[in-house]
Amino acid sequence: MNQQATKKDELDLPLRYKETRREKTGVFFKKKVGWLFVIVSVIAITIFNFYPMVQAFLLSFQSGMGSNLEYVGLANWQRLFGDPTFIAALTNTSIYLLIQVPLMIVLALFFSVLLNDPNLKFKGFFRIAIFLPCVTSLVAYSVIFKYLFGVDGIINVFLLNFGFISETINFLADPFWAKVVIILAITWRWTGYNMIFYLAALQNVDKSIYEAAKIDGANSIQQFFQITVPMLKPIILFTSITSTIGTLQIFDEIVNITNGGPGNATISISQYIYNLSFEYTPDFGYASTVSYVIVILVVILSIIQFRVAGEKK
């Protein structure tokens, strides 16, 4: 019996060897294919992200375009502080940032709490209605807003018919109201995007925590500030950073609604970069310098937000 078992094992050795070799070969190729995907991704990121960033940084020390570039040292950076258009763009972008981002986060959190209520009817309809502007074409969305607040737009018609105003208001020709329109447009568009994150997080919160709070006598407001907000802290941090980055880069809404007017009253940093590159006499060096202002602001504001949130790591 032992001799027969030994012979059987000897006969099975080539088969086992082949299976082991096949397994090793499969693992080898899996590792190679995995590294291939990583290498392709690294090459793509290097070409389309890191190289443009390095090239833009080098361009910030030059002036002109194409073969007419010349080294100017820190002249572009010094030019920033005496450029009235850049100061106007920086001021406008700061206003959008300080008003629109907190407003959007508060509204997104408010809508997510409402939609998380199990007793609310037509949840699907409200969820789609709030999120729809986010997936609408930016150009179409901006054109709709432009007509809404036009001299003969629905807003003016509504205000006139209900006696709130005696004559039409040219919202887009007034510096103050033009900023208000831009802020409303950005807020309305991206509130639904942030709401989805909050809603997903709320649906994963353990309901027993709220039940325990109710037993301890906590009312709805106390539950919101003592349970909901702390549980959503990572999501609030994430949305505040992404919203800050998005607002610093705002371009489409402004170009399609006001085109930076009236008189640079609504121009943003991103639009000014575009104008320096394609609208005015092209100066890619100075445009690169202005673009790095956005990079610096993103880094500084992100660090501040992490510090405020207590996420030092």
Side-chain angles (χ1 to χ4, degrees):
M1 291 294 292
N2 292 334
Q3 290 179 352
Q4 291 179 355
T6 304
K7 288 181 179 180
K8 187 177 180 182
D9 291 340
E10 289 176 353
L11 291 173
D12 290 342
L13 278 175
L15 181 61
R16 292 178 184 176
Y17 173 74
K18 288 180 180 179
E19 291 178 352
T20 305
R21 186 175 181 181
R22 192 181 298 115
E23 290 176 1
K24 290 182 178 179
T25 305
V27 172
F28 174 79
F29 277 109
K30 285 181 181 179
K31 289 182 178 179
K32 289 295 182 182
V33 171
W35 275 109
L36 181 62
F37 280 109
V38 172
I39 291 171
V40 171
S41 300
V42 169
I43 292 173
I45 292 171
T46 302
I47 294 174
F48 296 107
N49 285 339
F50 291 120
Y51 175 75
M53 288 176 63
V54 173
Q55 189 64 23
F57 180 73
L58 296 176
L59 277 173
S60 68
F61 299 100
Q62 302 175 68
S63 180
M65 64 172 290
S67 60
N68 297 322
L69 286 170
E70 58 176 328
Y71 180 77
V72 293
L74 297 175
N76 286 331
W77 294 92
Q78 295 171 350
R79 179 180 168 185
L80 289 173
F81 301 100
D83 184 355
T85 307
F86 169 74
I87 293 173
L90 180 62
T91 302
N92 294 335
T93 305
S94 300
I95 291 172
Y96 302 146
L97 189 66
L98 293 173
I99 298 176
Q100 182 262 333
V101 172
L103 178 62
M104 181 170 57
I105 290 174
V106 170
L107 285 175
L109 188 56
F110 173 75
F111 286 132
S112 64
V113 171
L114 285 182
L115 291 174
N116 195 49
D117 186 355
N119 299 320
L120 180 67
K121 296 181 179 180
F122 308 110
K123 282 185 181 181
F125 170 77
F126 289 119
R127 190 183 294 115
I128 293 172
I130 297 170
F131 187 72
L132 186 61
C134 180
V135 295
T136 306
S137 166
L138 264 172
V139 176
Y141 174 83
S142 302
V143 169
I144 291 172
F145 240 87
K146 186 175 182 178
Y147 281 105
L148 279 174
F149 287 91
V151 177
D152 299 324
I154 295 174
I155 303 300
N156 266 311
V157 172
F158 174 82
L159 295 175
L160 280 171
N161 290 338
F162 285 90
F164 293 105
I165 56 175
S166 57
E167 59 181 10
T168 58
I169 301 173
N170 194 347
F171 291 101
L172 303 181
D174 182 274
F176 172 77
W177 287 113
K179 286 188 180 70
V180 172
V181 172
I182 294 296
I183 291 171
L184 289 175
I186 308 170
T187 303
W188 188 16
R189 179 172 178 80
W190 296 112
T191 294
Y193 174 79
N194 290 321
M195 179 199 71
I196 295 299
F197 289 102
Y198 294 136
L199 188 58
L202 283 172
Q203 290 174 348
N204 287 320
V205 175
D206 190 353
K207 304 301 179 186
S208 62
I209 300 176
Y210 291 100
E211 294 173 0
K214 285 181 181 179
I215 294 173
D216 290 338
N219 55 36
S220 299
I221 297 176
Q222 290 173 328
Q223 290 177 38
F224 177 77
F225 286 104
Q226 300 297 325
I227 298 175
T228 304
V229 173
M231 295 290 283
L232 295 180
K233 184 179 175 182
I235 308 300
I236 293 173
L237 177 63
F238 168 77
T239 54
S240 64
I241 292 175
T242 54
S243 299
T244 298
I245 294 172
T247 303
L248 287 172
Q249 297 176 338
I250 180 175
F251 175 79
D252 299 86
E253 292 90 341
I254 294 174
V255 170
N256 289 292
I257 296 176
T258 63
N259 198 25
N264 292 331
T266 57
I267 190 172
S268 66
I269 297 177
S270 294
Q271 187 188 3
Y272 188 42
I273 294 169
Y274 172 83
N275 291 343
L276 286 169
S277 301
F278 304 106
E279 293 291 328
Y280 307 153
T281 302
D283 189 348
F284 293 156
Y286 187 53
S288 298
T289 306
V290 178
S291 68
Y292 257 88
V293 172
I294 295 180
V295 176
I296 294 169
L297 288 174
V298 167
V299 172
I300 293 173
L301 292 174
S302 297
I303 292 173
I304 292 173
Q305 288 170 333
F306 271 105
R307 290 291 181 179
V308 170
E311 301 288 344
K312 296 183 180 180
K313 295 183 181 180

